[in-house]
Amino acid sequence: MKLYRLRLGWLFGRRLAMVEHLGRRTGHLHQVVLEVVELDPATGALTVASGFGPKADWYRNLRAHPATDVVIGIRRIAVRAEPVPTETGAEIMRGYARRHPRTARRLAGFLGYELDGTDDDFAEFGRTLPFLRLIPDGRKSITRPA
């Protein structure tokens, strides 16, 4: 996050994004850097996954307060977080594994899954992960300017 604060987020390209989220109980601003699992070039929507499931604080915070900001590269974008249906998550993970096979295998192994490397196995893994789509909504930044 220090690199994002120093305006060096561009070093990560579009692979990582800093997501700001309000605490669901405190309302305090928090930040987390997440891997962008999928980027829709037509809409600018980013898809992220919670590798630690639906109990991850950032995930729960975004479910409670979906309007937030994301910084990708040096751009700050106001977004709205929307949950991704399970079957769509399966397809997202299948595509991610095709683009990044080693990283997908390492992620699964880190989370305790042993995969055979087939598309169907990655899709099944994707069904276990909660995904959020961060959709640009045209608002002004709710946190602060970039």
Side-chain angles (χ1 to χ4, degrees):
M1 280 188 283
K2 287 183 181 183
L3 291 175
Y4 280 93
R5 290 184 188 132
L6 294 171
R7 298 184 51 85
L8 295 173
W10 58 269
L11 291 170
F12 303 113
R14 295 180 177 179
R15 189 84 188 260
L16 299 177
M18 184 176 69
V19 180
E20 298 184 335
H21 51 101
L22 298 175
R24 61 194 173 282
R25 284 182 251 147
T26 65
H28 293 150
L29 181 66
H30 300 280
Q31 298 168 325
V32 63
V33 175
L34 300 170
E35 183 175 8
V36 176
V37 179
E38 185 178 75
L39 174 64
D40 183 340
T43 65
L46 312 169
T47 303
V48 295
S50 179
F52 294 107
K55 293 188 178 185
D57 282 329
W58 68 265
Y59 181 84
R60 293 168 60 188
N61 289 344
L62 285 172
R63 292 300 311 266
H65 301 286
T68 194
D69 287 357
V70 63
V71 178
I72 187 160
I74 59 168
R75 292 184 50 221
R76 177 177 297 278
I77 305 163
V79 297
R80 181 162 198 81
E82 294 184 2
V84 173
T86 302
E87 283 309 308
T88 304
E91 290 306 311
I92 289 169
M93 183 50 73
R94 189 185 313 239
Y96 178 82
R98 287 178 185 155
R99 292 187 307 277
H100 309 287
R102 284 185 296 200
T103 304
R105 270 204 181 119
R106 274 190 241 131
L107 172 65
F110 178 74
L111 297 174
Y113 291 87
E114 193 172 314
L115 303 180
D116 63 16
T118 63
D119 276 358
D120 289 341
D121 210 22
F122 280 112
E124 189 58 37
F125 174 54
R127 287 183 187 92
T128 68
L129 298 174
F131 290 87
L132 288 177
R133 188 158 285 134
L134 308 174
I135 303 167
D137 63 6
R139 288 177 296 104
K140 286 192 172 200
S141 169
I142 66 162
T143 55
R144 62 185 175 277

